[in-house]
Amino acid sequence: MPDEPTALAAFGYELGLLKRIRRTGWWHAGVRDPESVAEHSMRAAQIAALLAAEEGANPERAAFLALWHDTQETRTGDIPHTAAKYMSKPKPREITADQTAALPDASRTMVRTAVEEYETRETLEAQCAKDADKLEMLLQAVEYRDIGVERVAGWIDSARKGLTTETARRIAEAAATLSPLAWRDR
């Protein structure tokens, strides 16, 4: 087993793969160069904090959960929903267990606990993190629509249907009709 600094460095390198793994579902919509999983996760974490603040939850915890929600994709890649019927769904907890097996106890426990909380969605912070994942996808779809990608309605509809918090539903309603450049006018 590698020593602790080596294990942490190796995991850090693995997490760096998320900067190069593309969100592959967008290729089905005609996006030539979709955002990376890391780019998606960063904005999802920021949105999770905002949602949590508005919902009365802990923004730091919600952002933290969103930050870890797709780290398993270093091992599986981003699997589009169209592949689901041809393969079994990867189990995030099992992948995380493999990814973190060599880590020191404190780090291993921290990552596994975050993934477990996100996957069970029993806390308001986890619900905000999941809603942020969906909202980030919706915002990205609207941005792609604004640059001429036509086949994004399914992503917008899917994101809206999966939301659980009232704040997320209100944001989705506004975002679906708002131009991505509207921030400049505020």
Side-chain angles (χ1 to χ4, degrees):
M1 179 176 290
D3 61 37
E4 292 178 354
T6 301
L8 288 164
F11 190 50
Y13 282 123
E14 180 175 347
L15 292 173
L17 294 173
L18 296 171
K19 295 189 295 182
R20 294 185 296 280
I21 296 171
R22 297 291 161 192
R23 302 261 296 164
T24 59
W26 293 117
W27 286 323
H28 295 274
V31 176
R32 288 181 176 222
D33 188 27
E35 79 280 9
S36 70
V37 173
E39 290 167 317
H40 160 73
S41 294
M42 186 211 54
R43 184 159 65 171
Q46 292 168 325
I47 293 168
L50 296 172
L51 286 176
E54 296 302 317
E55 290 286 326
N58 181 320
E60 293 86 3
R61 185 68 183 169
F64 186 74
L65 299 177
L67 190 64
W68 291 98
H69 87 279
D70 276 340
T71 55
Q72 305 80 21
E73 292 182 11
T74 63
R75 302 282 173 103
T76 64
D78 180 51
I79 302 169
H81 80 281
T82 54
K85 80 180 216 179
Y86 305 106
M87 58 191 345
S88 62
K89 184 176 192 255
K91 295 177 173 72
R93 293 173 189 96
E94 290 178 16
I95 297 169
T96 299
D98 287 344
Q99 287 177 309
T100 60
L103 294 181
D105 290 341
S107 294
R108 181 176 53 249
T109 299
M110 182 264 313
V111 174
R112 289 179 181 182
T113 300
V115 171
E116 178 67 24
E117 183 177 347
Y118 178 83
E119 291 298 323
T120 60
R121 307 229 215 307
E122 292 175 358
T123 65
L124 183 53
E125 289 78 10
Q127 293 164 20
C128 288
K130 181 60 177 178
D131 277 2
D133 177 38
K134 297 288 187 184
L135 278 175
E136 199 289 324
M137 180 178 69
L138 184 147
L139 291 169
Q140 189 63 65
V142 171
E143 290 172 1
Y144 286 145
R145 181 183 68 194
D146 199 55
I147 62 168
V149 179
E150 295 177 7
R151 296 184 308 266
V152 297
W155 278 266
I156 294 169
D157 293 342
S158 172
R160 291 173 85 171
K161 288 177 188 168
L163 299 173
T164 61
T165 64
E166 184 57 34
T167 302
R169 287 192 286 271
R170 289 193 332 258
I171 293 170
E173 181 67 30
T177 59
L178 190 65
S179 166
L181 298 179
W183 62 269
R184 296 187 307 182
D185 300 331
R186 299 217 178 276

